[in-house]
């Protein structure tokens, strides 16, 4: 059977400079400057903080998984400071995380107004974002680099294009020897709409990142896995990486996991059936419960990222500096 195939050659792109951005570099929140909102995670949160600090004192990893709204909530600097302090040892995200991060680095702004842009087909058609990221990934694929590494190297090679790279998570991860991996679902990101897109390059670089994620997870015994707002990609990647690690004989049972999101799961450690909508919420199964079935402990914390992340930062840094 002959299937129809739509060519992208005639897709029209637009300069990103004309776009109105909902998130800007000049409104990013800064640790120690912006007031930390009140939020009470209770005794469980205090225990989690202890486990994060203990893990790092013992040389065990702290893996930070996230969705793009962490960046869209203007919280990039909190992650960068935690990496610089040696707390976060691995950053993991989806394609949207990499795009918003990359756009902040070159444009000083990100997050367009989707409801209006989708009406005329201009949504996501930004020339610099699509061309530069695809160029970076194609170069990275040729040189056997991971997805996150490819973007960071591209920024390093073209510093004149990226005046705001100091606030770029993936770039600061690269400069501070922290692994930053991005796990891509093809067809979900705006750079997949660009005329020069090469899906083989995207697949290869993201595949390398999955191998790197598996390497980090294989060392997670005594460590901590944190997930902020990734409801599908993060939990699925983690569960597969954990299964691979255990299949290969790595001891990954004394682990701590925590999921941070807006959804209230009630008593999230009770067994629920298919009739309960919460059964289909992947972080509940893939992060909080299943990974710790033979040891360790998992939590689910309810709160806005603008509350939970600054509070986690403050408490971790306070205890870390007391060491």
């Amino acid at each position: 059977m002959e299937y129809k195939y739509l060519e992208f050659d005639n897709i029209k792109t637009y300069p990103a400079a004309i776009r109105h951005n909902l998130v800007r570099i000049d409104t990013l929140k800064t640790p120690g400057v912006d007031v930390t909102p009140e939020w009470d995670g209770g005794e469980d949160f205090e225990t989690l903080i202890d486990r994060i600090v203990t893990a790092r004192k013992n040389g065990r990893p702290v893996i930070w998984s996230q969705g793009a709204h962490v960046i869209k909530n203007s919280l990039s600097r909190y992650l960068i400071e935690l990496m610089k302090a040696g707390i976060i040892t691995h950053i993991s995200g989806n394609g949207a995380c990499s795009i918003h991060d990359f756009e902040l680095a070159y444009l000083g702004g990100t997050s367009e107004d989707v409801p209006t842009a989708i009406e005329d087909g201009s949504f996501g058609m930004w020339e610099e974002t699509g061309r530069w990221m695809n160029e970076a990934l194609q170069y990275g694929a040729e040189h056997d680099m991971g997805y996150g590494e490819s973007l960071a190297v591209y920024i390093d090679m073209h510093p004149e294009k990226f005046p705001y790279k100091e606030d770029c998570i993936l770039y600061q991860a690269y400069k501070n020897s922290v692994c930053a991996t991005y796990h891509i679902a093809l067809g979900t990101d705006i750079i997949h709409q660009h005329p020069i897109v090469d899906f083989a390059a995207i697949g290869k670089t993201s595949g390398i990142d999955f191998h790197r994620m598996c390497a980090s997870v294989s060392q997670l015994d005594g460590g901590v896995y944190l997930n902020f707002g990734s409801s599908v990609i993060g939990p699925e990647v983690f569960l597969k990486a954990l299964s691979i690690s255990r299949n290969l004989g790595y001891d990954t049972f004394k682990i701590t996991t925590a999921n941070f999101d807006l959804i209230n799961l009630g008593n999230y450690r009770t067994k629920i059936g298919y009739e309960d909508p919460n059964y289909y919420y992947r972080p509940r199964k893939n992060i909080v419960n299943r990974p710790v079935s033979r040891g360790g402990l998992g939590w689910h914390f309810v709160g806005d990222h603008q509350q939970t992340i600054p509070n986690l930062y403050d408490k971790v840094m306070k205890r870390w500096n007391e060491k």
Side-chain angles (χ1 to χ4, degrees), residues 21-266:
N21 297 297
L22 303 178
V23 180
R24 304 192 316 275
I25 206 81
D26 61 313
T27 60
L28 291 186
K29 298 185 182 301
T30 302
V33 176
D34 287 285
V35 176
T36 299
E38 290 188 10
W39 178 78
D40 184 8
E43 291 184 9
D44 287 345
F45 188 61
E46 299 296 330
T47 303
L48 174 64
I49 299 301
D50 285 338
R51 291 192 175 206
I52 292 171
V53 174
T54 298
R56 293 308 300 129
K57 285 183 177 179
N58 292 336
R60 309 314 300 159
V62 172
I63 301 174
W64 182 294
S65 166
Q66 66 179 31
H69 277 84
V70 171
I71 297 174
K72 293 177 72 171
N73 275 312
S74 303
L75 297 167
S76 298
R77 290 173 181 165
Y78 288 87
L79 277 66
I80 291 170
E81 290 305 311
L82 286 169
M83 287 192 292
K84 289 181 176 179
I87 303 298
I88 296 176
T89 62
H90 187 125
I91 291 275
S92 171
N94 59 13
C97 288
S98 68
I99 290 167
H100 290 304
D101 203 19
F102 191 90
E103 286 191 333
L104 279 174
Y106 86 80
L107 186 61
T110 190
S111 189
E112 61 188 291
D113 187 7
V114 178
T116 57
I118 195 62
E119 294 173 356
D120 61 3
S122 63
F123 164 62
M125 302 299 184
W126 307 110
E127 172 62 14
E128 296 86 353
T129 304
R131 183 168 298 277
W132 293 351
M133 289 188 71
N134 277 299
E135 286 177 351
L137 295 170
Q138 289 162 29
Y139 177 87
E142 291 173 4
H143 294 82
D144 298 323
M145 297 179 189
Y147 188 106
E149 179 188 15
S150 299
L151 298 179
V153 167
Y154 186 87
I155 292 172
D156 223 26
M157 292 171 62
H158 305 279
E160 73 285 353
K161 293 181 179 180
F162 299 93
Y164 310 105
K165 62 183 182 296
E166 297 306 311
D167 285 315
C168 177
I169 294 170
L170 67 87
Y171 181 72
Q172 290 303 318
Y174 175 73
K175 300 303 283 187
N176 287 277
S177 301
V178 173
C179 192
T181 59
Y182 297 90
H183 307 279
I184 310 304
L186 296 181
T188 63
D189 297 324
I190 64 169
I191 67 169
H192 303 166
Q193 306 172 172
H194 197 276
I196 72 163
V197 65
D198 180 345
F199 290 107
I202 294 171
K204 178 177 179 178
T205 55
S206 187
I208 290 171
D209 273 6
F210 181 60
H211 280 276
R212 292 175 177 175
M213 180 66 169
C214 290
S216 290
V217 171
S218 74
Q219 303 302 306
L220 197 56
D221 210 56
V224 179
Y225 180 89
L226 305 170
N227 181 63
F228 289 86
S230 178
S231 59
V232 178
I233 295 292
E236 292 297 342
V237 166
F238 177 54
L239 198 68
K240 275 65 174 184
L242 189 62
S243 182
I244 289 169
S245 300
R246 291 175 177 175
N247 181 278
L248 292 173
Y250 290 94
D251 191 5
T252 54
F253 298 103
K254 296 190 294 289
I255 64 176
T256 297
T257 64
N259 183 62
F260 292 79
D261 211 339
L262 293 171
I263 184 172
N264 192 330
L265 298 176

